[in-house]
Each structure stands twice: as C-alpha cells, then as structure tokens.
C-alpha cells in the first residue's frame, strides 16, 4: 500500500514544493540508489545475515524515512533521506525487500506452482498499491474538512505512510526458519557453496538485460508520470489519484492474465511480447496533446504492462540452482536499481532541455531494445516445467 501511495504522491508533492524537473529527477534517483545499496548488501551477505533479519531492519528504515520526509523542504536533505528510506518511485519494489521475498517464495512450492505463486504475490501487492494510490486524494479532504493548509495536508500523509511501514516490522518478525536459505542451517563460519559457472553466466546476462529494461523504465517512473499529468495537463490531485487507482486495478488484471498466457506461449515470449506492446503504447501517450487520449493510452499500457512481472520473477528463479536464488534475485534487482538510480535524473535533464514527453519516448525505445534482446538470447532456455520429454 505504501509503495502505491508514495510512488504517485512523491511527484505531486515535489511539484507542490515547486521543484524543477531536474531537482525531481535527482530526488527520484536517490530513492532508487537506496534500493541499490540494499540489494548490494543482500547479494553479498543476505543469506548469512538472515533474510528475516534484513527484512525487519529495512522495514524500520522505511518507517523512519516517512517520519523524516516532511521535516524538510531542502532538496539536498530530501536526497539524503531518500538514500536510506527503502522506498520506491516506480510503483514497483526495487529494494532488497523484493529480492528476499523472491528467494523465499521460490522455495515455497513446486516448479509447476512457481509462476502462480508469484502471480498471487504480485496480485495482492498490486491491489494494496491500488488502495495506496487512492490515498493521495486525502490531502484535499484534510483541507476541506479540517481547514489545513495545502503543504501541511500533504506532509501529514507521511505519518500514515510511516505507520503502515512500521507494521511491516511485525509481519516480517513472524517469519519462520523455513524462510531462510537452505544453506543457512550450516554454521556461519562455513561459506555458502560456490555458484556453478553456468549459473553465474545466466545471472550476469539477466542482470545486464534487466538493467537495460530498468534504465528505460526510469525515464517514466510513476512519480514522473504523476508530475507529467499534473504539469502538462494541469490535472488535479483527485483526478490523478483516480487515474492511477484505475491503472493499478488494470495492473492486477494484467498479472492474473500472465499465468494462462505463459502456459500457452511460454515465459520468455510472454515477457517480450507484452512489454513490446506496452512500450509502443507509451510512445503514443507521450506524443498526444489531448489529455483524454493520454489517459486512454496510459490505462491501455497498464492493462498489458505487468504480465512480465510474475513471469520474469518465476523465470529467473527457475533457471538457476536453489542455492543461487538469493544472489540471483539480488544481483538482477541490483542491476535494475542501479540503472533506475541514474535514469530519473537523466529524464529530468532531458525534460528540462526539450519537452516533458521526450523522456517517456526515450525510455520506451530503450525498453523495446531490451524486449528484442531478451527474446533473442533466452528464447531457447526453458524453465523446468516448460521442458517436454
């Protein structure tokens, strides 16, 4: 819920503070850089530290970030807070929360159930994010009912964000030892088993490809999209909230469609084809000057866009050994966050130098290159359940 809220709210909040596109991009890059740091730790020592322990600490940092965000309006301080806040500007998780969740979930069922488990995981997350996106309309209610000033009403929302974040501490605290790596039962003095060379190669290839995907995605994170709608079409906060709520619901439908489509055409084809179509629609959205068409194109993209999420997560966990799953999830997500730590700032530079829609076009073209490269490199590498005797 928090991620659905903050990913949309942050762009509108910074627009209210009269941040320039460049300042906005730097803050959003700092958010992604914080996720990058968490994935570095998870890929290096995540299983040794313990998955449960890492998740609890990150939930604490996330709640603390919500407390600190409204205490300053200085860009430099907001950048510093963003680095440790374990949050997102994309609408999707890019922190080690996702990496550790993926590793835990992948060992919780059989290979035939894996994609379905990831679909339910993402579906529940998407529905709560949809509720979170509606929260950005609350400041208008606070202003009307309580007479709060506009900026103060926005800052008050970070309190609710913190409460939800701190509730994650209690949830993660209840994880059982079965959530830990299978190699964690051995003494900490013993190093984890060496990763096979083939698994390392796959991990690096996936990390490079997913980084390219995220580099493009960073040009159009949800915080930038909310800034785009508010700035280009002068949309109200309530309208933006409704658009993003509808988008999150369509994302949930997209996730539900992923499993039957993947069973029919395969995980890799599902990932590449649906993303290719979604990115083409985003180019159309950026080119139109009509607000209604822009909304239609955006919602069309949201209906298609998330079919690759459970399929990508399932596939990356399926084609590496069990003991390599935490490292693979962390390194591939590390590549994604490193790319998106740079691209929002680049998007701000491009938008300020050209036009607000140009970063969306650039990001979509980069992602189309990723779609083609992924299919070319991995179309013959099947997940275990896809292999036929």
């Amino acid at each position: 819920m928090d991620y659905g809220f903050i990913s949309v709210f942050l762009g509108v909040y910074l627009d209210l503070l009269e941040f320039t596109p460049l300042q906005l991009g730097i803050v959003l890059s700092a958010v992604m850089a914080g996720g990058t740091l968490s994935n570095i730790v998870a890929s290096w020592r995540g299983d040794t530290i313990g998955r449960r322990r890492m998740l609890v600490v990150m939930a604490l940092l996330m709640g603390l970030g919500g407390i600190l965000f409204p205490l300053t309006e200085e860009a430099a301080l907001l950048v510093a807070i963003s680095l440790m806040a374990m949050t997102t500007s994309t609408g999707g998780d890019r922190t080690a929360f996702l990496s550790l969740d993926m590793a835990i979930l992948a060992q919780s069922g059989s290979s035939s159930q894996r994609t379905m488990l990831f679909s339910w995981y993402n579906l529940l997350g998407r529905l709560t994010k949809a509720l979170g996106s509606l929260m950005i309309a609350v400041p208008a209610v606070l202003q009307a009912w309580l007479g709060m000033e506009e900026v103060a009403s926005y800052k008050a929302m970070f309190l609710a964000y913190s409460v939800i974040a701190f509730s994650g501490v209690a949830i993660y605290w209840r994880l059982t030892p079965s959530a830990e790596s299978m190699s964690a039962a051995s003494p900490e003095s013993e190093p984890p088993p060496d990763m096979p060379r083939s698994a390392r190669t796959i991990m690096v290839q996936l990390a490079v490809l997913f980084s390219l995907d995220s580099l493009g995605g960073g040009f159009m994170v949800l915080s930038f999209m909310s800034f785009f709608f508010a700035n280009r079409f002068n949309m109200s906060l309530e309208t933006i909230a409704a658009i993003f709520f509808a988008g999150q619901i369509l994302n949930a439908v997209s996730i539900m469609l992923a499993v039957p489509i993947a069973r029919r055409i395969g995980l890799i084809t599902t990932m590449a084809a649906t993303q290719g179509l979604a990115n083409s629609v985003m180019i159309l959205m950026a080119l139109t000057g009509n607000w209604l068409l822009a909304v239609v194109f955006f919602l069309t993209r949201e209906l298609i866009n998330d079919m690759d999420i459970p399929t990508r997560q399932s596939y990356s966990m399926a084609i590496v050994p069990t003991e390599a799953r935490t490292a693979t999830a962390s390194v591939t997500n590390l590549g994604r966050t490193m790319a998106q730590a740079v691209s929002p700032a680049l998007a701000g530079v491009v938008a300020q130098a050209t036009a607000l829609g140009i970063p969306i076009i650039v990001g979509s073209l980069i992602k189309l290159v990723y779609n083609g490269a992924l299919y070319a490199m991995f179309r013959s590498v099947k997940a275990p359940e896809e292999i036929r005797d």
Side-chain angles (χ1 to χ4, degrees):
M1 183 180 289
D2 264 356
Y3 282 175
F5 163 70
I6 199 68
S7 60
V8 179
F9 180 81
L10 193 56
V12 180
Y13 174 67
L14 296 179
D15 182 55
L16 178 66
L17 297 184
E18 298 183 348
F19 274 42
T20 67
L22 178 58
Q23 289 175 315
L24 171 78
I26 292 172
V27 172
L28 299 186
S29 285
V31 169
M32 301 311 299
T36 299
L37 292 173
S38 70
N39 276 303
I40 289 173
V41 174
S43 62
W44 175 47
R45 302 290 286 175
D47 285 343
T48 302
I49 294 171
R51 294 169 180 172
R52 171 177 168 273
R53 188 177 301 168
M54 273 202 69
L55 289 166
V56 167
V57 171
M58 288 192 299
L60 287 169
L61 289 174
M62 186 176 169
L64 180 60
I67 292 173
L68 296 177
F69 265 123
L71 299 183
T72 181
E73 297 178 13
E74 294 294 326
L77 290 176
L78 286 173
V79 167
I81 294 167
S82 297
L83 284 170
M84 53 72 63
M86 294 297 111
T87 191
T88 183
S89 60
T90 67
D93 193 358
R94 293 291 182 271
T95 69
F97 280 122
L98 175 61
S99 303
L100 297 170
D101 286 350
M102 284 174 61
I104 293 170
L105 198 61
Q107 67 187 39
S108 301
S110 66
S111 60
S112 61
Q113 298 173 321
R114 191 185 54 256
T115 304
M116 179 64 75
L117 287 173
F118 278 108
S119 291
W120 278 108
Y121 168 78
N122 285 283
L123 177 61
L124 293 174
R126 189 61 64 185
L127 291 174
T128 55
K129 287 174 188 175
L131 294 176
S133 68
L134 284 180
M135 288 172 59
I136 70 169
V138 174
V141 176
L142 296 178
Q143 294 164 40
W145 291 5
L146 302 180
M148 294 182 68
E149 294 182 355
E150 189 174 21
V151 173
S153 69
Y154 276 65
K155 291 186 174 184
M157 294 304 299
F158 285 105
L159 176 61
Y161 170 88
S162 288
V163 170
I164 295 170
F166 282 130
S167 70
V169 175
I171 294 171
Y172 285 124
W173 190 268
R174 293 176 61 84
L175 286 175
T176 66
S178 63
E180 303 296 342
S181 169
M182 294 179 180
S183 62
S186 60
E188 290 191 4
S189 58
E190 295 183 9
D194 290 335
M195 188 183 300
R197 186 181 300 275
S198 59
R200 290 180 184 274
T201 301
I202 289 172
M203 182 176 68
V204 171
Q205 289 174 334
L206 289 176
V208 171
L209 287 171
F210 293 169
S211 297
L212 183 63
D213 179 37
S214 282
L215 178 66
F219 280 82
M220 44 188 174
V221 295
L222 287 186
S223 294
F224 184 85
M225 295 303 301
S226 65
F227 186 85
F228 172 82
F229 282 122
N231 191 286
R232 182 165 180 175
F233 298 111
N234 198 31
M235 287 186 180
S236 68
L237 184 63
E238 296 89 336
T239 301
I240 294 173
I243 291 169
F244 280 86
F245 175 75
Q248 297 280 7
I249 296 299
L250 291 174
N251 288 156
V253 175
S254 183
I255 288 168
M256 291 173 65
L257 292 173
V259 172
I261 291 177
R263 284 176 179 165
R264 189 172 186 86
I265 65 175
L267 292 168
I268 285 293
T269 304
T270 302
M271 293 160 61
T274 58
Q275 278 288 290
L277 183 56
N279 293 321
S280 299
V281 170
M282 284 299 279
I283 294 175
L284 296 176
M285 190 203 79
L287 291 174
T288 185
N290 182 286
W291 72 268
L292 182 58
L293 277 178
V295 171
V296 170
F297 285 136
F298 175 77
L299 294 179
T300 301
R301 180 250 193 175
E302 297 304 281
L303 177 61
I304 305 166
N305 193 55
D306 279 13
M307 292 185 203
D308 86 307
I309 294 178
T311 49
R312 182 183 67 239
Q313 293 169 350
S314 177
Y315 183 78
S316 61
M317 294 292 94
I319 61 175
V320 297
T322 302
E323 65 272 14
R325 282 174 172 167
T326 299
T328 300
S330 299
V331 169
T332 53
N333 284 320
L334 174 61
R336 295 175 68 82
T337 53
M338 287 180 67
Q340 285 196 337
V342 175
S343 46
L346 292 177
V349 172
V350 171
Q352 193 151 303
T354 56
L356 204 55
I358 298 300
I360 297 172
I361 296 174
V362 172
S364 297
L365 291 174
I366 292 172
K367 286 171 72 68
L368 285 170
V369 172
Y370 153 74
N371 301 146
L374 176 71
Y375 185 76
M377 292 176 63
F378 282 93
R379 66 182 184 276
S380 61
V381 181
K382 305 294 185 181
E385 67 273 18
E386 296 179 327
I387 297 174
R388 298 289 182 265
D389 294 333

